[in-house]
Amino acid sequence: MNSTGMSQTVAILWLLFFFFAFVPSLYSGQQFGNITLQSGSVLLVGSDLNATCRMGSSFPSRCSNNDLTWVLNDKVLNNYSVKRSDVKELGLMLPGPHVPKGRFLLKCKLYCTYVGSKVLHGKTIDVGYPPDIPQNLSCVLHISGDEMECHWNKGRPPFISTVFILHAARKSEVLRTCQGEEHCTLKMKGHPDIIKQLTLWVEAKNDLGTVCSENITIDPYKAVIPPAPTITNVLSDPRNSDQLTVLWNTFLFSDKDWFRDEKLDIELWYRQQGGSWIEVKDVQDNGVCSLYGLTANSAYSIRLRSRPLHSIWGHWSQWSEEFERLTSEAPPLTAPDLWRMFGRADSYGGRNITILWKPPARDKTRGLVLGYMLKWNDGVERVKNFTSERRKHTIMVHDRGAPTIVNITTWNSAGFSPKASLKLRKPQPFSGVSSFQVKSPGDLGDHVISLTWETLGQPSYHPSRFVVAWSESCDGSSADFHWLLVPGSQTHVNITDGIEPLTCYNVSLHPLYENLEGLPSSLLAYSREDVPEVPPRELKVNQSKHTASLSWIPPPISARRGLILHYKISWSSERGQKNYANTTKTSYELQNLKPSTRYMVEVSAVTRKGASRPSMYDFDTSTFDPGEVEIIIVSICFCLLFFIIFLVYVQMNLKRRFREAFWPKVPDPNHSKVLRGFDLMKVGSCSSLIFLYR
C-alpha cells in the first residue's frame, strides 16, 4: 500500500472516532436540559407537584416545547403540562390527589423529528407522611443475658425512607442504640446491665419530621424470657386407659445469680389427634402432671411453655416440641356392625346366606382389633373365629325351619366387645318408610350420593335402625356389595364407598325393627349425571296408511350416564312441520299420518342433563291399510261374477226373442199325436218280432 492510501485510511479512522466519541454527547440528556422542582423532592401526601423542564443550550433550534412531554412512572401527563412563554420551557402542575405515594421517577422526554425520542432529564420524588409516634414498646431479655430484644408498633406506613432508632439510657446517658423498622436487639454487657434499671424509647425520623415514643423504665432481669421446657417422657397406664402422665425439665437458673430464686409459671396443653387444644389448669412447677378423662387407644399431642412469675410483660417461652403418646387399650365399647346377603334357595329349601360385618368405629374399638367370633345355630351350635382382615362368611340355612340367629363379637388385647345379633328371615310385607330418594345429585361431588327418606307412623313404631346397601348392578349383574348401618332416628345419609361418577348404582334401604325386618325400598342413583353416551338402539317401524308403530331398545347401562327420564320423539314429512312427543315407554305409535308419504323419525334418550344424539329412521306410509286390497279384490270379483251372470241371462232372453221374431212357430214333435201313434206302432211290431224269435 502506498503512502497516499495509508493517509486516506488514517483520515477515515479519525473521522469515525470523532463521530462515535463526540457526536452522541451533543444529544445526551445532560446537554439537552434539566428539571427544576418548585415543590421540592419530598412531598407530603396530598400536596401538588410543580416542576419545570428547561431545554439546554445544545437543544436543536427546530424543536420547541411542543415536542416535550412529562412522564411519571411510564405514564404520560399531557393533561397537566403547562406551556411557558419561553419556548424552551414546559411546566407541570399535578394536583395532590393524582400524585402517587412512595418513591417515583419524574422524567421529561423529547419527541422531536430531528433527534428522535430522548429523555432530557429525570428526578426522583418521595411522597409520604411524617412518622407516627411509635406505640407499645416492650422488651424481653434472653436468658443468656447478652441480648435484649425490643418490639414496637410503628403506626401508619410513612411510604418514604424512615429510620427507627431504639435508645437505651441510664441517668440521662444514652448507653447504646439499635435500628429496625418494628424491632431490634440491644447488645447487653452481662450482669451489670441486667440488674440496673434502663430507660428506653424509640425515635422515628424522616425528611418530613421526627417523633419519639414515651419512655419506659425497666429492670432488665424482670423481662427475661426462659428457654422452652423439654418433655422427657409421657407414660400410659395399662390399668387406666383414660390417663397419661407427663414428665418434663425446665431451665436451671443456678448459674445466674440474678435469677437463681425465680419461680416459673407452667402452661400445659394437649389435644387428641385431629382435635382442638385443651389447657390444663393449675400446673405446678415440679416436672410432672397427670391427664385424666382421655379416650382409650387414642393418640394425644402434648406441649408446654413457661414464664417467670414476676415477668413484667408476661412473656412466655417458646413452646416445647410436641410429644405424642397413645393411651392404653380398653375392651371395644360397641359391637361390630352386622348384615346379611341372601342367596337363591335350592329345591330342598336350603339357602346360602353371606354374613357381612364391619368393625366398630375407631373411637369405639379402643384398641387394635385382633379378630371376630361368629356364632349361629342351624340345628347344631356353631362357633367360628376369624382374623381381623376377614369381613364375611357364607352359611347354609333352611327356609322351612325356625329363623336362624347369628351373633358376632370382636376383641382386642383388653377384652371382648358386646355382641351384635341378626335374625335371618325374609322381610315382612310392610316398610314404614316413604319418599326414599336421591337429594340433588352432583351437589356434594362426584364420589358422594346423598339419600333422604321419611319414616311413617308414631315415633314408637319407627325402625330402630336402617341398613343402606348399594352395588353397581343396575342391570342385574353381580358387583361389589357395600352397606352401611344408620341409626333409626336418622333420615338422611351420604354414601361414598365405591362411588364413581356417571355410574349407575342400585341402592336399597332396609328398615330394621326390634325383632323383624321391614320391606326394603330401592332406587337407581348416580353421583353425577350427563347426557347418554349413545342413542336408543334397534329402532324399528311398523307403518300403515295413517299410523306407524315405533319400538326401540334403551341404551346399555354402561352408556346411559344418568337416569332416563323419558324418550323424546320427533317426526316430520319431507315438507311438513316437525312434531314432538315424549314417552317413558320403549314404544310409541304415530297417528294421523298421510298415506304414500315419506317420514323421518328421531328418538333420543333424556336424562337430567339433557338428550342424547338421536336414532333416526326413514319410512314410507302405505297407500292402503291392511285388508283394504283384499276387500277391493273381492268386490271386483263379485261384480265380475254378477256381470257374467247378467250377460248369460241377457243372451238367453235375446235368443228366444230373436227366434220368436224371425222364425214362425213349428210344431213340437214331442207334442204331436201323429208321431206319438207312429212310435207306438213301431214299438208293437218290434215286440212281435221279439216274441216270434223266442
Side-chain angles (χ1 to χ4, degrees):
M1 182 181 294
N2 55 27
S3 59
T4 304
M6 287 290 294
S7 300
Q8 292 177 349
T9 303
V10 172
I12 293 173
L13 291 175
W14 274 106
L15 287 173
L16 292 174
F17 175 78
F18 175 82
F19 181 83
F20 286 107
F22 296 100
V23 172
S25 65
L26 297 176
Y27 295 95
S28 64
Q30 295 290 340
Q31 297 294 326
F32 273 169
N34 61 359
I35 294 176
T36 303
L37 298 174
Q38 286 82 13
S39 54
S41 60
V42 180
L43 299 178
L44 183 66
V45 173
S47 300
D48 297 340
L49 174 60
N50 297 315
T52 301
C53 177
R54 181 170 181 79
M55 304 175 189
S57 59
S58 59
F59 196 94
S61 59
R62 296 185 179 180
C63 298
S64 66
N65 55 9
N66 292 326
D67 301 316
L68 293 177
T69 302
W70 290 104
V71 179
L72 178 65
N73 286 345
D74 298 327
K75 182 180 179 181
V76 178
L77 303 176
N78 289 332
N79 295 335
Y80 304 101
S81 299
V82 179
K83 292 183 180 180
R84 308 294 191 192
S85 58
D86 189 346
V87 295
K88 290 183 175 288
E89 290 185 353
L90 181 68
L92 174 67
M93 296 183 62
L94 185 63
H98 298 282
V99 180
K101 299 175 184 177
R103 171 165 289 189
F104 58 88
L105 180 62
L106 178 66
K107 293 182 290 186
C108 181
K109 294 189 72 174
L110 172 68
Y111 296 92
C112 185
T113 307
Y114 305 101
V115 296
S117 177
K118 299 287 183 181
V119 176
L120 300 188
H121 199 202
K123 286 281 189 178
T124 300
I125 300 175
D126 293 312
V127 180
Y129 297 102
D132 283 349
I133 297 176
Q135 303 288 336
N136 303 325
L137 174 61
S138 65
C139 300
V140 294
L141 177 68
H142 294 285
I143 197 63
S144 63
D146 298 330
E147 293 181 344
M148 186 164 63
E149 186 176 349
C150 297
H151 294 258
W152 60 88
N153 183 2
K154 70 177 182 180
R156 176 182 56 186
F159 294 106
I160 60 175
S161 177
T162 303
V163 178
F164 295 87
I165 304 173
L166 174 67
H167 299 271
R170 184 178 293 122
K171 295 181 179 180
S172 302
E173 178 186 356
V174 177
L175 301 178
R176 56 191 55 85
T177 62
C178 63
Q179 293 186 14
E181 189 171 358
E182 287 191 304
H183 64 87
C184 70
T185 301
L186 286 171
K187 296 294 183 180
M188 309 296 287
K189 294 183 179 180
H191 188 271
D193 273 353
I194 292 172
I195 63 174
K196 296 180 181 180
Q197 284 188 343
L198 287 177
T199 300
L200 304 173
W201 72 93
V202 178
E203 179 186 9
K205 59 182 179 180
N206 60 24
D207 291 335
L208 295 176
T210 301
V211 294
C212 293
S213 69
E214 293 183 358
N215 295 356
I216 61 171
T217 301
I218 65 170
D219 294 314
Y221 72 91
K222 292 185 178 181
V224 71
I225 177 171
T230 302
I231 300 177
T232 58
N233 203 356
V234 177
L235 305 176
S236 60
D237 188 351
R239 295 170 299 177
N240 298 299
S241 59
D242 65 342
Q243 180 177 330
L244 289 175
T245 301
V246 184
L247 306 176
W248 70 87
N249 286 333
T250 54
F251 184 81
L252 298 178
F253 299 100
S254 58
D255 61 335
K256 306 293 182 185
D257 295 338
W258 47 271
F259 211 82
R260 182 174 299 165
D261 298 327
E262 186 66 41
K263 297 297 182 181
L264 294 178
D265 186 10
I266 303 297
E267 190 174 274
L268 189 151
W269 294 68
Y270 71 93
R271 67 175 176 183
Q272 192 173 0
Q273 190 174 29
S276 302
W277 288 101
I278 300 174
E279 182 182 2
V280 180
K281 303 294 185 181
D282 301 325
V283 179
Q284 302 298 318
D285 184 17
N286 56 7
V288 60
C289 179
S290 295
L291 308 178
Y292 300 95
L294 307 180
T295 303
N297 191 50
S298 296
Y300 283 87
S301 297
I302 302 164
R303 66 180 184 181
L304 50 84
R305 60 181 180 176
S306 63
R307 68 177 176 182
L309 285 175
H310 300 96
S311 175
I312 56 176
W313 282 300
H315 290 298
W316 289 95
S317 70
Q318 298 294 322
W319 286 105
S320 65
E321 291 187 8
E322 293 184 15
F323 199 106
E324 292 190 0
R325 179 64 73 191
L326 201 67
T327 52
S328 300
E329 292 189 0
L333 192 61
T334 59
D337 293 341
L338 186 61
W339 190 233
R340 84 295 175 275
M341 188 165 57
F342 285 109
R344 294 182 179 179
D346 57 24
S347 57
Y348 300 100
R351 184 188 298 273
N352 284 329
I353 298 180
T354 301
I355 307 301
L356 309 169
W357 61 86
K358 292 181 180 180
R362 178 176 174 79
D363 60 333
K364 305 298 182 183
T365 57
R366 304 200 297 182
L368 180 64
V369 173
L370 301 178
Y372 300 91
M373 179 185 294
L374 187 68
K375 294 183 179 180
W376 74 97
N377 191 329
D378 55 359
V380 177
E381 187 73 25
R382 301 183 186 275
V383 179
K384 198 169 183 64
N385 294 324
F386 301 96
T387 62
S388 59
E389 291 79 16
R390 189 72 177 268
R391 292 290 188 273
K392 62 182 178 180
H393 180 65
T394 300
I395 64 176
M396 172 68 76
V397 299
H398 291 274
D399 292 342
R400 298 180 185 137
T404 301
I405 298 178
V406 177
N407 299 320
I408 192 170
T409 57
T410 186
W411 73 87
N412 59 22
S413 62
F416 282 86
S417 72
K419 70 177 181 179
S421 298
L422 183 65
K423 186 178 291 187
L424 303 180
R425 61 185 300 175
K426 282 294 186 180
Q428 299 301 305
F430 64 92
S431 173
V433 175
S434 66
S435 303
F436 182 45
Q437 60 186 347
V438 178
K439 180 182 178 181
S440 302
D443 286 356
L444 299 178
D446 290 348
H447 303 281
V448 181
I449 295 178
S450 182
L451 304 169
T452 62
W453 62 88
E454 296 178 0
T455 52
L456 303 176
Q458 298 296 325
S460 58
Y461 296 102
H462 288 176
S464 59
R465 53 186 177 164
F466 297 96
V467 171
V468 181
W470 66 96
S471 61
E472 187 183 339
S473 58
C474 290
D475 55 355
S477 61
S478 61
D480 291 339
F481 186 82
H482 303 271
W483 59 282
L484 181 66
L485 199 61
V486 180
S489 59
Q490 195 166 317
T491 57
H492 72 277
V493 69
N494 297 330
I495 58 176
T496 58
D497 290 347
I499 301 299
E500 295 294 335
L502 308 179
T503 303
C504 183
Y505 292 91
N506 192 344
V507 186
S508 57
L509 178 67
H510 302 258
L512 303 181
Y513 298 86
E514 291 299 330
N515 297 314
L516 51 87
E517 176 186 342
L519 197 65
S521 303
S522 299
L523 54 78
L524 303 181
Y526 287 80
S527 64
R528 177 169 67 86
E529 298 189 28
D530 205 340
V531 297
E533 190 174 7
V534 297
R537 301 170 293 165
E538 300 184 22
L539 177 59
K540 298 179 180 179
V541 179
N542 184 14
Q543 70 271 24
S544 62
K545 184 178 179 181
H546 295 287
T547 62
S549 297
L550 311 179
S551 63
W552 58 88
I553 297 177
I557 291 290
S558 59
R560 292 183 187 177
R561 307 201 297 181
L563 295 176
I564 295 180
L565 304 179
H566 59 267
Y567 294 94
K568 181 180 178 181
I569 305 168
S570 64
W571 70 95
S572 65
S573 60
E574 292 181 347
R575 297 182 180 179
Q577 186 179 0
K578 209 165 192 177
N579 301 286
Y580 296 93
N582 295 329
T583 181
T584 57
K585 301 178 180 179
T586 57
S587 61
Y588 190 78
E589 183 173 305
L590 308 180
Q591 298 180 347
N592 301 322
L593 303 181
K594 297 179 181 179
S596 301
T597 305
R598 174 168 287 273
Y599 283 90
M600 182 178 70
V601 64
E602 297 178 351
V603 179
S604 302
V606 181
T607 65
R608 288 186 178 92
K609 293 297 183 179
S612 69
R613 53 188 175 88
S615 291
M616 294 180 288
Y617 193 92
D618 293 349
F619 66 92
D620 295 317
T621 53
S622 57
T623 307
F624 302 100
D625 280 332
E628 283 188 348
V629 175
E630 290 79 356
I631 294 174
I632 293 173
I633 293 174
V634 170
S635 299
I636 292 174
C637 291
F638 272 107
C639 290
L640 289 175
L641 180 61
F642 177 78
F643 183 69
I644 292 171
I645 294 173
F646 177 74
L647 288 178
V648 172
Y649 174 76
V650 170
Q651 183 182 10
M652 293 177 62
N653 280 340
L654 286 176
K655 182 179 180 180
R656 181 175 57 81
R657 290 188 179 187
F658 273 113
R659 188 176 57 192
E660 291 178 354
F662 296 99
W663 286 278
K665 281 190 176 181
V666 180
D668 187 358
N670 294 325
H671 299 85
S672 175
K673 294 181 179 180
V674 177
L675 290 177
R676 186 178 299 174
F678 178 75
D679 288 339
L680 290 175
M681 292 176 62
K682 288 174 62 178
V683 172
S685 57
C686 288
S687 301
S688 301
L689 290 173
I690 292 171
F691 177 76
L692 291 174
Y693 175 74
R694 290 180 178 176

